[in-house]
Amino acid sequence: MKAVKITSYMNDDQAQALTQFLKRVSFSDFKKLAVSMDEAFLMQEGAMKVADALADNGYNPR
């Protein structure tokens, strides 16, 4: 699978809100929106990578 690098700029409020969203979203949310279980797992894995990047930049959920 090809690796994709994403670079994004956002303000502090956006980063905090996204961090909170990623903390609150559950697998059942991904499952409802996905067309298959495989896609739901991929969506969750991608979201967790974004959460990790936010944490690496000092944005940890409250």
Side-chain angles (χ1 to χ4, degrees):
M1 191 177 296
K2 177 184 167 188
V4 177
K5 181 178 179 176
I6 299 171
T7 302
S8 178
Y9 297 93
M10 60 185 81
N11 66 39
D12 185 61
D13 289 340
Q14 292 168 327
Q16 287 288 359
L18 183 56
T19 298
Q20 290 305 311
F21 169 77
L22 292 170
K23 177 182 86 170
R24 294 176 185 142
V25 70
S26 68
F27 182 73
S28 64
D29 297 313
F30 294 117
K31 196 167 118 177
K32 284 182 220 171
L33 297 168
V35 296
S36 68
M37 287 296 283
D38 286 342
E39 185 179 62
F41 282 113
L42 290 170
M43 291 165 66
Q44 183 183 41
E45 290 168 7
M48 294 306 102
K49 288 184 179 285
V50 172
D52 290 344
L54 285 163
D56 289 346
N57 284 278
Y59 292 92
N60 295 301
R62 293 178 229 138

